[in-house]
Amino acid sequence: MNRKSLLVGKRASRILRSLSTAVAAGLLCTSFTGCTTLTQPIDGVPANRLPDTFFAEPKNDLVPVDISLLSLEPPRDYQISGGDILGVYIEGVLPFNPPNAPPEPPPVNFPDSESTLPPSIGYPIAVQDDGTLALPLIEPLDVEGLTLEQVRESIRDAYIDNEILRPEKARPIVTIIKERTYDVIVVREDGGGLNVQNLAADYIRGGSDRSASGAMVKLPAYQNDVLHALVETGGLPGLNAKNEVKVLRATEADQRKRSQFMQQFYAQQRAAMLDPCACPPELPEDPSILRIPLRVKPGVIPDITNEQITLQDGDIVYIESRETEVYYTGGLLPGGEFPLPRDYDLDVLGAIAVAGGGVGKSVSGGSGSLIGSAGSSIPPGRVYILRKTRCNGQVAIEVDLTKAINDPKSRPLIMAGDTIILQHTCEEEVLNFGIATFFTYGIRELLRN
């Protein structure tokens, strides 16, 4: 063996020893400090081992409710009730005329610009709350539920029966000057919609007004329903509102029901707090609050009656915000809070993408990792979904990203309140450290020699 060959062999041996020392140091350092699998272990359960109760129900197949179910069908003929203002003209009685004086013509009334009623004639007479109509010289007439033609006949018969008018002179005129209205309160927390170009920032950090807006709307008769209340205040709920409408009745009976319901719930909570091992009860559905869904499963027709969608004075229509329907990210993902879509599903891969992480690509600058500052060549292959359970519990759902990419069934859907933690496995961190060491220390040694 010549001198040149001996020199090359010594250099190669020295480089190999240097690389071996660096790799061994890296393995030792990774084992004790760098590998988050060892230093920050998460006791995860593979997704395929958990029962269905831990997973969200899909909502991609939900379809919008027929909004005509939220509207009342008006009758063919308007039916009189308390609060209506009628135009009444009775020749010789309303107004009173002397025996030989010519009759006065009836006054003409023009409706407001927002009214859909035609011009009317007659003197304004209000229908009382009990459904009666007070006219001169006769007892009040019960006109509740009658049409205009039926009211006209009732007035004519009353004046003939009381011998005030002769049949040939009894020709009353009855029209509608103003329909009865219902004062309804609408409270909305949807803030007028979202900026779809920047959904996360707009939803979470105030791109739109997150405060609730309220309005008192006057709904005419046979338009006092949920749909007209929504149309008067901006339409159906926006993307940042829940897919439902709540109706709170203003009657004293319903208010008492809601008060009793809350008292019973708090009593149960206080009783549960006396036992440290007991699980505090969750707030159940209030039976006195009507919830009208706006999206249902295909083929399901919600059982919505006219009585449920009919609004009375003082009723409250409430559109609730989705402010709490968010998920959180950490680990190798940028930490943040992100909203969940309202009308479609978001699986774990989509949630990672929304958070700014790339599935199947290397990361750099991750926190809690030895190689985070230098970058990595092998992408992270494990993600944990920290999901809350009852009684302040938690389950960690372990997802293998390689399986999730190839099998849609291995992609759990994200639920409100979830925390997504992206991590390297210990083997991936060791390989990344070895690759980084070779391309820094090893190349430098080759060039030096």
Side-chain angles (χ1 to χ4, degrees):
M1 180 179 299
N2 55 27
R3 183 178 179 183
K4 184 176 180 179
S5 299
L6 182 61
L7 183 60
V8 171
K10 289 182 178 180
R11 287 179 178 177
S13 177
R14 186 166 57 252
I15 292 173
L16 290 176
R17 286 196 303 270
S18 299
L19 288 177
S20 300
T21 303
V23 170
L27 291 175
L28 182 63
C29 185
T30 301
S31 300
F32 287 100
T33 61
C35 183
T36 56
T37 305
L38 297 178
T39 60
Q40 301 175 4
I42 299 178
D43 296 329
V45 180
N48 57 359
R49 296 184 183 178
L50 288 173
D52 294 338
T53 55
F54 288 96
F55 298 98
E57 292 187 5
K59 54 186 176 182
N60 277 342
D61 59 343
L62 298 182
V63 295
V65 170
D66 182 5
I67 60 174
S68 65
L69 297 175
L70 308 181
S71 177
L72 293 172
E73 181 181 0
R76 178 176 298 180
D77 297 316
Y78 188 87
Q79 297 177 354
I80 305 301
S81 185
D84 289 327
I85 299 179
L86 303 182
V88 182
Y89 175 77
I90 307 172
E91 184 179 345
V93 177
L94 190 65
F96 174 75
N97 287 338
N100 296 324
E104 294 184 11
V108 179
N109 307 290
F110 293 94
D112 297 335
S113 58
E114 298 180 355
S115 176
T116 59
L117 293 174
S120 58
I121 59 176
Y123 292 90
I125 305 293
V127 180
Q128 302 304 310
D129 292 338
D130 59 356
T132 59
L133 185 67
L135 295 173
L137 306 177
I138 61 173
E139 294 291 330
L141 297 176
D142 186 7
V143 297
E144 180 71 31
L146 301 182
T147 64
L148 287 178
E149 183 62 30
Q150 291 171 338
V151 173
R152 188 179 301 113
E153 290 298 324
S154 297
I155 295 174
R156 181 178 184 275
D157 293 341
Y159 279 97
I160 293 175
D161 294 342
N162 287 276
E163 298 181 353
I164 299 174
L165 293 176
R166 295 193 300 271
E168 65 272 12
K169 290 291 186 178
R171 296 188 299 270
I173 298 175
V174 182
T175 57
I176 297 180
I177 295 179
K178 186 177 181 180
E179 300 168 308
R180 61 187 181 274
T181 58
Y182 299 87
D183 294 334
V184 177
I185 301 173
V186 181
V187 179
R188 307 185 63 125
E189 293 182 346
D190 49 357
L194 292 175
N195 178 5
V196 295
Q197 299 297 328
N198 192 8
L199 181 61
D202 201 14
Y203 184 90
I204 299 298
R205 295 298 178 229
S208 63
D209 185 7
R210 299 298 305 149
S211 61
S213 61
M216 174 77 76
V217 295
K218 290 183 176 294
L219 301 177
Y222 304 114
Q223 296 181 16
N224 56 318
D225 51 49
V226 172
L227 182 59
H228 282 88
L230 295 177
V231 171
E232 289 291 330
T233 56
L236 295 176
L239 291 177
N240 49 348
K242 291 185 178 180
N243 248 323
E244 65 177 10
V245 178
K246 292 183 179 179
V247 179
L248 287 74
R249 302 296 182 186
T251 62
E252 291 185 5
D254 287 291
Q255 291 177 357
R256 285 196 300 269
K257 287 181 181 178
R258 288 194 289 272
S259 178
Q260 293 174 359
F261 170 79
M262 295 305 299
Q263 290 177 359
Q264 293 174 358
F265 172 71
Y266 288 130
Q268 292 176 357
Q269 271 198 332
R270 288 192 295 269
M273 291 174 63
L274 298 176
D275 184 0
C277 298
C279 179
E282 295 181 352
L283 181 64
E285 294 289 341
D286 191 337
S288 64
I289 298 178
L290 172 63
R291 295 175 181 266
I292 302 176
L294 298 181
R295 290 175 68 87
V296 295
K297 292 185 177 296
V300 175
I301 300 178
D303 185 15
I304 302 175
T305 63
N306 284 346
E307 182 181 0
Q308 291 176 323
I309 64 172
T310 301
L311 303 175
Q312 304 295 335
D313 283 328
D315 285 351
I316 301 174
V317 178
Y318 181 38
I319 307 298
E320 190 176 1
S321 169
R322 292 196 311 117
E323 188 174 7
T324 58
E325 295 184 6
V326 296
Y327 69 94
Y328 307 91
T329 56
L332 296 175
L333 289 173
E337 181 184 59
F338 301 91
L340 286 172
R342 188 189 69 172
D343 298 331
Y344 60 90
D345 297 326
L346 183 70
D347 59 30
V348 63
L349 297 186
I352 293 174
V354 170
V359 178
K361 74 174 185 179
S362 60
V363 298
S364 61
S367 60
S369 174
L370 178 68
I371 50 85
S373 59
S376 61
S377 300
I378 298 177
R382 181 180 298 163
V383 65
Y384 294 96
I385 303 174
L386 307 183
R387 180 158 296 170
K388 297 178 181 178
T389 60
R390 288 198 59 193
C391 303
N392 299 321
Q394 172 183 285
V395 60
I397 304 174
E398 181 181 335
V399 180
D400 187 329
L401 287 181
T402 302
K403 292 182 180 179
I405 292 173
N406 294 284
D407 185 10
K409 296 181 180 179
S410 300
R411 307 171 193 168
L413 300 180
I414 302 302
M415 297 176 61
D418 285 351
T419 300
I420 301 176
I421 306 295
L422 182 63
Q423 284 188 350
H424 283 111
T425 63
C426 195
E427 295 82 1
E428 291 167 348
E429 292 206 13
V430 169
L431 291 175
N432 280 324
F433 184 85
I435 294 173
T437 301
F438 174 76
F439 281 101
T440 55
Y441 187 80
I443 298 296
R444 184 179 60 187
E445 286 296 319
L446 287 174
L447 294 176
R448 179 182 300 176
N449 296 283

